[in-house]
Short mmCIF file of all heavy atoms in Angstrom, two decimals:
data_model
loop_
_atom_site.label_atom_id
_atom_site.label_comp_id
_atom_site.label_asym_id
_atom_site.label_seq_id
_atom_site.Cartn_x
_atom_site.Cartn_y
_atom_site.Cartn_z
N LYS A 177 154.14 -175.51 53.72
CA LYS A 177 154.63 -176.71 54.43
C LYS A 177 155.71 -177.42 53.62
O LYS A 177 156.71 -177.89 54.19
CB LYS A 177 153.47 -177.67 54.70
CG LYS A 177 153.87 -178.90 55.51
CD LYS A 177 152.70 -179.81 55.76
CE LYS A 177 153.10 -180.97 56.66
NZ LYS A 177 154.24 -181.76 56.13
N ASP A 178 155.52 -177.49 52.29
CA ASP A 178 156.53 -178.12 51.45
C ASP A 178 157.86 -177.40 51.57
O ASP A 178 158.92 -178.04 51.73
CB ASP A 178 156.07 -178.12 49.98
CG ASP A 178 154.90 -179.05 49.72
OD1 ASP A 178 154.66 -179.95 50.56
OD2 ASP A 178 154.23 -178.88 48.68
N TYR A 179 157.83 -176.07 51.49
CA TYR A 179 159.06 -175.29 51.60
C TYR A 179 159.66 -175.41 53.00
O TYR A 179 160.87 -175.50 53.18
CB TYR A 179 158.79 -173.81 51.30
CG TYR A 179 158.68 -173.50 49.82
CD1 TYR A 179 157.54 -172.87 49.31
CD2 TYR A 179 159.71 -173.81 48.95
CE1 TYR A 179 157.44 -172.58 47.96
CE2 TYR A 179 159.61 -173.52 47.59
CZ TYR A 179 158.48 -172.90 47.11
OH TYR A 179 158.39 -172.61 45.77
N TYR A 180 158.77 -175.43 54.02
CA TYR A 180 159.25 -175.53 55.40
C TYR A 180 159.93 -176.88 55.64
O TYR A 180 161.00 -176.95 56.24
CB TYR A 180 158.08 -175.34 56.36
CG TYR A 180 158.46 -175.53 57.81
CD1 TYR A 180 159.29 -174.62 58.45
CD2 TYR A 180 157.99 -176.62 58.54
CE1 TYR A 180 159.65 -174.78 59.77
CE2 TYR A 180 158.35 -176.79 59.87
CZ TYR A 180 159.17 -175.86 60.48
OH TYR A 180 159.53 -176.03 61.79
N ASP A 181 159.31 -177.94 55.16
CA ASP A 181 159.91 -179.27 55.30
C ASP A 181 161.25 -179.35 54.56
O ASP A 181 162.21 -179.96 55.05
CB ASP A 181 158.97 -180.35 54.76
CG ASP A 181 157.74 -180.54 55.64
OD1 ASP A 181 157.77 -180.09 56.80
OD2 ASP A 181 156.74 -181.12 55.15
N GLN A 182 161.31 -178.72 53.41
CA GLN A 182 162.57 -178.69 52.66
C GLN A 182 163.63 -177.92 53.44
O GLN A 182 164.79 -178.33 53.51
CB GLN A 182 162.34 -178.02 51.31
CG GLN A 182 163.57 -177.98 50.42
CD GLN A 182 163.33 -177.19 49.14
OE1 GLN A 182 162.61 -176.19 49.16
NE2 GLN A 182 163.93 -177.62 48.05
N GLY A 183 163.21 -176.79 54.02
CA GLY A 183 164.13 -175.99 54.82
C GLY A 183 164.65 -176.75 56.03
O GLY A 183 165.84 -176.67 56.36
N LYS A 184 163.77 -177.49 56.70
CA LYS A 184 164.19 -178.30 57.84
C LYS A 184 165.26 -179.31 57.45
O LYS A 184 166.28 -179.47 58.12
CB LYS A 184 162.98 -179.04 58.43
CG LYS A 184 162.14 -178.23 59.39
CD LYS A 184 160.92 -179.01 59.85
CE LYS A 184 161.30 -180.30 60.54
NZ LYS A 184 160.10 -181.03 61.03
N MET A 185 165.02 -180.00 56.34
CA MET A 185 165.96 -181.01 55.88
C MET A 185 167.31 -180.40 55.54
O MET A 185 168.37 -180.92 55.93
CB MET A 185 165.38 -181.72 54.66
CG MET A 185 166.27 -182.82 54.09
SD MET A 185 165.64 -183.48 52.53
CE MET A 185 165.94 -182.06 51.45
N LEU A 186 167.30 -179.25 54.84
CA LEU A 186 168.53 -178.60 54.45
C LEU A 186 169.30 -178.07 55.67
O LEU A 186 170.54 -178.15 55.73
CB LEU A 186 168.23 -177.44 53.48
CG LEU A 186 167.75 -177.85 52.09
CD1 LEU A 186 167.19 -176.65 51.33
CD2 LEU A 186 168.89 -178.49 51.30
N ALA A 187 168.55 -177.54 56.64
CA ALA A 187 169.19 -177.04 57.85
C ALA A 187 169.83 -178.16 58.64
O ALA A 187 170.94 -178.02 59.19
CB ALA A 187 168.16 -176.30 58.71
N GLN A 188 169.16 -179.30 58.72
CA GLN A 188 169.72 -180.45 59.42
C GLN A 188 170.98 -180.98 58.74
O GLN A 188 171.85 -181.57 59.38
CB GLN A 188 168.67 -181.55 59.52
CG GLN A 188 167.54 -181.22 60.51
CD GLN A 188 166.35 -182.15 60.38
OE1 GLN A 188 166.28 -182.97 59.46
NE2 GLN A 188 165.38 -182.00 61.28
N GLN A 189 171.08 -180.72 57.45
CA GLN A 189 172.27 -181.13 56.68
C GLN A 189 173.37 -180.09 56.78
O GLN A 189 174.47 -180.30 56.26
CB GLN A 189 171.90 -181.35 55.21
CG GLN A 189 170.96 -182.54 54.98
CD GLN A 189 170.43 -182.61 53.56
OE1 GLN A 189 170.68 -181.70 52.75
NE2 GLN A 189 169.72 -183.67 53.24
N GLY A 190 173.09 -178.98 57.45
CA GLY A 190 174.08 -177.92 57.59
C GLY A 190 174.09 -176.92 56.45
O GLY A 190 174.94 -176.02 56.43
N ASN A 191 173.20 -177.05 55.52
CA ASN A 191 173.14 -176.15 54.37
C ASN A 191 172.18 -175.00 54.71
O ASN A 191 171.06 -174.93 54.24
CB ASN A 191 172.66 -176.91 53.13
CG ASN A 191 172.85 -176.10 51.85
OD1 ASN A 191 173.14 -174.91 51.90
ND2 ASN A 191 172.67 -176.76 50.72
N TYR A 192 172.70 -174.07 55.58
CA TYR A 192 171.83 -173.06 56.15
C TYR A 192 171.38 -172.00 55.13
O TYR A 192 170.28 -171.47 55.23
CB TYR A 192 172.53 -172.37 57.32
CG TYR A 192 172.87 -173.35 58.42
CD1 TYR A 192 174.19 -173.53 58.83
CD2 TYR A 192 171.87 -174.10 59.04
CE1 TYR A 192 174.50 -174.44 59.83
CE2 TYR A 192 172.17 -175.02 60.03
CZ TYR A 192 173.49 -175.19 60.43
OH TYR A 192 173.79 -176.09 61.41
N LYS A 193 172.22 -171.70 54.16
CA LYS A 193 171.83 -170.70 53.16
C LYS A 193 170.65 -171.21 52.33
O LYS A 193 169.67 -170.50 52.11
CB LYS A 193 173.00 -170.37 52.24
CG LYS A 193 172.68 -169.26 51.23
CD LYS A 193 173.86 -168.95 50.34
CE LYS A 193 173.51 -167.80 49.39
NZ LYS A 193 172.29 -168.03 48.61
N ALA A 194 170.77 -172.46 51.86
CA ALA A 194 169.68 -173.05 51.08
C ALA A 194 168.43 -173.19 51.96
O ALA A 194 167.31 -173.01 51.49
CB ALA A 194 170.10 -174.39 50.51
N ALA A 195 168.65 -173.51 53.23
CA ALA A 195 167.52 -173.64 54.15
C ALA A 195 166.81 -172.30 54.32
O ALA A 195 165.57 -172.23 54.30
CB ALA A 195 167.99 -174.15 55.50
N ALA A 196 167.61 -171.23 54.46
CA ALA A 196 167.03 -169.90 54.60
C ALA A 196 166.21 -169.53 53.37
O ALA A 196 165.13 -168.94 53.47
CB ALA A 196 168.13 -168.87 54.84
N ASP A 197 166.73 -169.89 52.18
CA ASP A 197 165.99 -169.61 50.94
C ASP A 197 164.66 -170.35 50.93
O ASP A 197 163.63 -169.79 50.52
CB ASP A 197 166.83 -170.03 49.73
CG ASP A 197 168.02 -169.12 49.50
OD1 ASP A 197 168.00 -167.98 50.00
OD2 ASP A 197 168.97 -169.55 48.81
N ALA A 198 164.68 -171.61 51.38
CA ALA A 198 163.46 -172.39 51.41
C ALA A 198 162.45 -171.79 52.39
O ALA A 198 161.25 -171.68 52.09
CB ALA A 198 163.76 -173.84 51.80
N PHE A 199 162.93 -171.36 53.56
CA PHE A 199 162.04 -170.75 54.54
C PHE A 199 161.49 -169.41 54.02
O PHE A 199 160.34 -169.06 54.28
CB PHE A 199 162.77 -170.54 55.87
CG PHE A 199 162.99 -171.82 56.63
CD1 PHE A 199 164.25 -172.15 57.10
CD2 PHE A 199 161.94 -172.69 56.89
CE1 PHE A 199 164.46 -173.33 57.81
CE2 PHE A 199 162.14 -173.86 57.60
CZ PHE A 199 163.40 -174.18 58.06
N ASN A 200 162.35 -168.67 53.31
CA ASN A 200 161.88 -167.41 52.73
C ASN A 200 160.78 -167.66 51.70
O ASN A 200 159.82 -166.89 51.58
CB ASN A 200 163.04 -166.65 52.09
CG ASN A 200 163.92 -165.97 53.13
OD1 ASN A 200 163.46 -165.65 54.22
ND2 ASN A 200 165.19 -165.77 52.80
N ASN A 201 160.96 -168.73 50.92
CA ASN A 201 159.92 -169.10 49.95
C ASN A 201 158.61 -169.42 50.66
O ASN A 201 157.53 -169.05 50.21
CB ASN A 201 160.37 -170.30 49.12
CG ASN A 201 161.44 -169.94 48.12
OD1 ASN A 201 161.54 -168.79 47.70
ND2 ASN A 201 162.27 -170.90 47.74
N ALA A 202 158.74 -170.13 51.78
CA ALA A 202 157.55 -170.44 52.57
C ALA A 202 156.90 -169.16 53.08
O ALA A 202 155.67 -169.03 53.08
CB ALA A 202 157.92 -171.35 53.74
N SER A 203 157.76 -168.22 53.47
CA SER A 203 157.24 -166.95 53.98
C SER A 203 156.48 -166.18 52.92
O SER A 203 155.45 -165.56 53.19
CB SER A 203 158.41 -166.10 54.51
OG SER A 203 157.95 -164.84 54.93
N GLU A 204 156.99 -166.22 51.69
CA GLU A 204 156.33 -165.52 50.60
C GLU A 204 154.95 -166.13 50.30
O GLU A 204 154.01 -165.42 49.93
CB GLU A 204 157.20 -165.56 49.34
CG GLU A 204 158.44 -164.67 49.45
CD GLU A 204 159.30 -164.76 48.21
OE1 GLU A 204 158.86 -165.40 47.22
OE2 GLU A 204 160.41 -164.20 48.21
N VAL A 205 154.86 -167.44 50.41
CA VAL A 205 153.60 -168.10 50.15
C VAL A 205 152.63 -167.91 51.31
O VAL A 205 151.45 -167.66 51.13
CB VAL A 205 153.82 -169.62 49.90
CG1 VAL A 205 152.49 -170.34 49.74
CG2 VAL A 205 154.67 -169.81 48.65
N TYR A 206 153.16 -168.01 52.50
CA TYR A 206 152.30 -167.94 53.69
C TYR A 206 153.05 -167.19 54.77
O TYR A 206 153.98 -167.71 55.38
CB TYR A 206 151.97 -169.36 54.15
CG TYR A 206 150.65 -169.49 54.87
CD1 TYR A 206 149.44 -169.34 54.17
CD2 TYR A 206 150.60 -169.76 56.24
CE1 TYR A 206 148.24 -169.47 54.82
CE2 TYR A 206 149.38 -169.89 56.88
CZ TYR A 206 148.20 -169.74 56.17
OH TYR A 206 147.00 -169.86 56.81
N GLY A 207 152.70 -165.95 55.03
CA GLY A 207 153.47 -165.01 55.82
C GLY A 207 153.97 -165.50 57.16
O GLY A 207 155.06 -165.13 57.61
N SER A 208 153.25 -166.38 57.84
CA SER A 208 153.64 -166.81 59.18
C SER A 208 154.91 -167.63 59.18
O SER A 208 155.51 -167.86 60.22
CB SER A 208 152.52 -167.62 59.82
OG SER A 208 152.26 -168.79 59.05
N ALA A 209 155.34 -168.09 58.00
CA ALA A 209 156.53 -168.93 57.94
C ALA A 209 157.79 -168.16 58.30
O ALA A 209 158.81 -168.76 58.64
CB ALA A 209 156.69 -169.53 56.55
N THR A 210 157.78 -166.83 58.24
CA THR A 210 158.97 -166.03 58.54
C THR A 210 159.45 -166.27 59.96
O THR A 210 160.63 -166.53 60.20
CB THR A 210 158.67 -164.53 58.36
OG1 THR A 210 158.22 -164.31 57.04
CG2 THR A 210 159.91 -163.70 58.63
N LEU A 211 158.52 -166.23 60.91
CA LEU A 211 158.89 -166.44 62.31
C LEU A 211 159.40 -167.85 62.52
O LEU A 211 160.35 -168.08 63.27
CB LEU A 211 157.69 -166.17 63.22
CG LEU A 211 157.18 -164.71 63.22
CD1 LEU A 211 155.92 -164.61 64.08
CD2 LEU A 211 158.26 -163.78 63.77
N ILE A 212 158.77 -168.81 61.87
CA ILE A 212 159.18 -170.20 62.02
C ILE A 212 160.60 -170.39 61.50
O ILE A 212 161.43 -171.02 62.15
CB ILE A 212 158.22 -171.13 61.26
CG1 ILE A 212 156.81 -171.02 61.85
CG2 ILE A 212 158.69 -172.57 61.30
CD1 ILE A 212 155.77 -171.78 61.08
#
Side-chain angles (χ1 to χ4, degrees):
K177 184 179 184 304
D178 291 342
Y179 282 125
Y180 176 68
D181 290 343
Q182 182 185 36
K184 277 176 59 178
M185 181 187 70
L186 290 168
Q188 288 167 352
Q189 294 171 354
N191 192 349
Y192 299 121
K193 184 179 182 306
D197 289 340
F199 286 128
N200 283 334
N201 287 334
S203 176
E204 289 179 7
V205 175
Y206 208 70
S208 61
T210 303
L211 296 175
I212 298 174

